[in-house]
Amino acid sequence: MEGRSEKCEQCVGRSRIAAAIAIGVVVGRVFAFFYPYGFFSPDPQAQTPTLSKYNVLVESWSYESTEWINMLRSYIRKLSEENAELQKQLRELNEKLQIAEEGKCRVHEQLVVLTEPKKAGPFGKVKSMRANPPVLPDESVNPRLAKILAEVAVENEVIVVLANSNVKSMLEVWFTSIKRVGIPNYLVVALDDVIVDFCKENAVSVYKRDPDERVDFIGKTGSNQAVSGLKFRILREFLQLGYSVLLSDVDIVYLQNPFDYLYRDSDVEAMSDGHNNITAYGYNDIFDEPDMGWGRYAHTTRIWAYNSGFFYIRPTIPAIELLDRVTDRLTGEPNSWDQAVFNEELAFPSHPGYIGLYASRRTMDLYLFMNSKVLFKTVGKDSKLKKLKPVVVHINYHPDKLDRMKAVVEYYVNGKHDALDVFPDGSDF
């Protein structure tokens, strides 16, 4: 009997244990259902506030709810879009960082060349550095312009022209000639809304500066000379952004791509107002003063002016200083001619009371980058020179600009051999 009772007690004990385990499992499942994160775990809503509104929906909707599934899909889609945007920004920042690092390397290399002492080479083999190092691009100067230039420029180079509604007809000839040649990297800086609309109608790249009362007044109402003076101020931003600019007046016809004929070895590469090799590239001019007797002849060095309406300028410190100097003088000397100031700042050496500008310069080929005096007075009367095809023709010596621009197109593009003959060498007044 005692053995049997012990067995019963053991069975009862086992059944109680089994029952306790079963109750524990049931209770555990209940608590797991109602408290999936435990008693002491932080509220997930407090950890992820972005999902709080969706947690509320869980309490009222079943997991199989179509609305809940659509909401999750929408949320996932939104996260994917945000992730894609962040990845795009990361790529852009990496590209900018790479450009900046490359720029620093170039500057460092230039500084090493400039500062590291070197022995002079053999006679006739010594060459100095002509091209100053470019500045590091600074997109914060004008983010909107930087975005436009990134789309328009080729190899960080762009042709730039300033225009208001006073020169609308010439502007049409200008950009038509550029399109005909197939030059993609050009930009019109519009000085009024008429030109903005005109460019958009003709699929021409255009940029209008942010409102500036002083600049806008000159741009909309000023003469060609006043507008010409604005370009030095406006060009500064292009250079700060790291772009080389081929500045162009509107009275120019393009017959070839000028970027194929640039040397790019100087801070400024400009068209000459000279009419032959001597006047364009420099000569020894003798000043005669008879009352000096034996010393009556004084030798001088002369070169005709660079044309401030067509020049290539690189993004260097001397180039930017040139623009600043010219802008400052034109602002303080309102009756000054921008071309005269431009040439003075390029040419005048340092002397007592004045620090000259240390900018390198190059004169463009006279017959490739041709002014209108050369064309109508010399080339148009020479059968051999007439066979040459210039890169551009600048109608800078004549007031009847539009008619002569059209004549240049007729002669060089349409093959009308007598198109230039109807014009006098100079002007009628």
Side-chain angles (χ1 to χ4, degrees):
M1 294 291 293
E2 292 179 355
R4 185 178 300 175
S5 62
E6 289 177 358
K7 289 182 179 179
C8 289
E9 289 177 359
Q10 291 177 357
C11 290
V12 171
R14 290 175 182 174
S15 62
R16 287 177 179 175
I17 293 172
I21 293 173
I23 293 172
V25 171
V26 172
V27 171
R29 288 183 178 180
V30 170
F31 277 95
F33 179 81
F34 287 103
Y35 301 94
Y37 300 100
F39 285 109
F40 304 102
S41 298
D43 187 353
Q45 294 183 0
Q47 289 183 337
T48 56
T50 308
L51 296 174
S52 59
K53 57 182 180 179
Y54 300 115
N55 292 333
V56 173
L57 292 174
V58 172
E59 296 177 4
S60 58
W61 295 345
S62 67
Y63 286 106
E64 292 78 18
S65 169
T66 302
E67 293 183 58
W68 169 245
I69 294 174
N70 291 337
M71 183 67 74
L72 283 177
R73 288 175 178 172
S74 175
Y75 181 68
I76 293 171
R77 191 182 307 113
K78 181 180 178 182
L79 288 178
S80 300
E81 292 173 354
E82 291 177 354
N83 183 54
E85 180 63 26
L86 289 173
Q87 290 180 345
K88 178 183 177 183
Q89 294 177 9
L90 180 61
R91 286 195 302 270
E92 292 176 350
L93 289 173
N94 285 331
E95 290 173 359
K96 292 177 181 179
L97 180 61
Q98 183 178 357
I99 293 172
E101 291 296 333
E102 291 174 354
K104 288 181 180 178
C105 291
R106 289 196 301 268
V107 172
H108 177 71
E109 290 171 0
Q110 293 282 6
L111 288 174
V112 170
V113 172
L114 290 171
T115 58
E116 185 178 329
K118 291 186 177 181
K119 292 183 179 180
F123 178 81
K125 301 297 183 180
V126 177
K127 301 293 181 183
S128 62
M129 187 177 68
R130 271 79 170 169
N132 284 297
V135 299
L136 291 175
D138 182 6
E139 291 189 6
S140 66
V141 171
N142 191 330
R144 186 165 65 88
L145 178 59
K147 184 177 180 180
I148 294 174
L149 290 174
E151 297 174 355
V152 173
V154 175
E155 299 295 332
N156 277 25
E157 295 179 326
V158 63
I159 299 173
V160 174
V161 66
L162 276 66
N164 61 16
S165 54
N166 295 336
V167 295
K168 183 178 178 180
S169 298
M170 284 192 290
L171 179 63
E172 184 172 13
V173 178
W174 182 88
F175 66 64
T176 300
S177 70
I178 282 183
K179 288 183 176 182
R180 184 186 302 112
V181 174
I183 303 170
N185 48 329
Y186 67 96
L187 181 66
V188 176
V189 177
L191 300 176
D192 56 41
D193 293 332
V194 172
I195 294 299
V196 173
D197 296 337
F198 183 59
C199 288
K200 290 180 178 179
E201 291 169 1
N202 290 275
V204 171
S205 300
V206 63
Y207 161 71
K208 189 172 186 293
R209 301 176 74 253
D210 292 334
D212 185 323
E213 183 177 349
R214 186 174 181 180
V215 173
D216 292 344
F217 178 78
I218 298 174
K220 294 177 181 178
T221 63
S223 63
N224 289 344
Q225 183 170 326
V227 170
S228 184
L230 285 178
K231 61 195 172 196
F232 299 98
R233 177 183 300 185
I234 294 174
L235 280 182
R236 191 186 205 278
E237 292 184 346
F238 286 78
L239 268 58
Q240 284 182 276
L241 293 172
Y243 290 86
S244 296
V245 175
L246 183 57
L247 189 279
S248 173
D249 275 354
V250 74
D251 56 344
I252 293 177
V253 177
Y254 289 76
L255 301 167
Q256 300 186 65
N257 191 330
F259 293 109
D260 295 337
Y261 295 88
L262 297 175
Y263 285 81
R264 300 174 177 83
D265 62 350
S266 305
D267 296 307
V268 179
E269 196 167 341
M271 170 185 282
S272 174
D273 271 0
H275 58 89
N276 54 29
N277 287 347
I278 294 175
T279 56
Y281 308 137
Y283 62 102
N284 178 36
D285 186 40
I286 301 176
F287 178 76
D288 185 9
E289 195 172 6
D291 61 357
M292 283 296 295
W294 178 84
R296 64 182 292 180
Y297 300 110
H299 291 257
T300 67
T301 301
R302 296 187 63 184
I303 182 173
W304 283 35
Y306 288 128
N307 193 287
S308 62
F310 191 85
F311 59 86
Y312 177 80
I313 186 166
R314 295 176 58 247
T316 66
I317 293 298
I320 293 175
E321 184 181 359
L322 170 65
L323 299 180
D324 289 350
R325 287 185 177 212
V326 175
T327 299
D328 185 61
R329 284 189 55 185
L330 292 176
T331 302
E333 306 167 16
N335 294 325
S336 297
W337 181 28
D338 69 281
Q339 179 161 298
V341 174
F342 176 71
N343 278 272
E344 289 170 1
E345 293 299 334
L346 272 175
F348 284 176
S350 296
H351 56 263
Y354 176 80
I355 303 298
L357 178 71
Y358 295 92
S360 57
R361 57 194 188 275
R362 167 182 281 274
T363 305
M364 290 178 170
D365 188 297
L366 179 67
Y367 294 104
L368 291 179
F369 299 91
M370 191 181 297
N371 63 57
S372 58
K373 181 177 182 178
V374 173
L375 176 61
F376 289 98
K377 191 173 183 179
T378 304
V379 173
K381 295 177 173 57
D382 188 303
S383 58
K384 292 183 179 179
L385 291 177
K386 288 180 75 172
K387 295 178 182 179
L388 297 175
K389 186 177 183 180
V391 177
V392 302
V393 175
H394 188 180
I395 313 298
N396 61 316
Y397 270 100
H398 301 87
D400 49 342
K401 297 179 180 295
L402 182 58
D403 291 338
R404 292 189 186 243
M405 289 177 73
K406 292 179 178 179
V408 169
V409 174
E410 287 294 326
Y411 179 78
Y412 285 107
V413 178
N414 299 329
K416 188 177 180 180
H417 300 297
D418 60 349
L420 306 177
D421 299 341
V422 297
F423 296 95
D425 292 351
S427 59
D428 295 331
F429 55 90

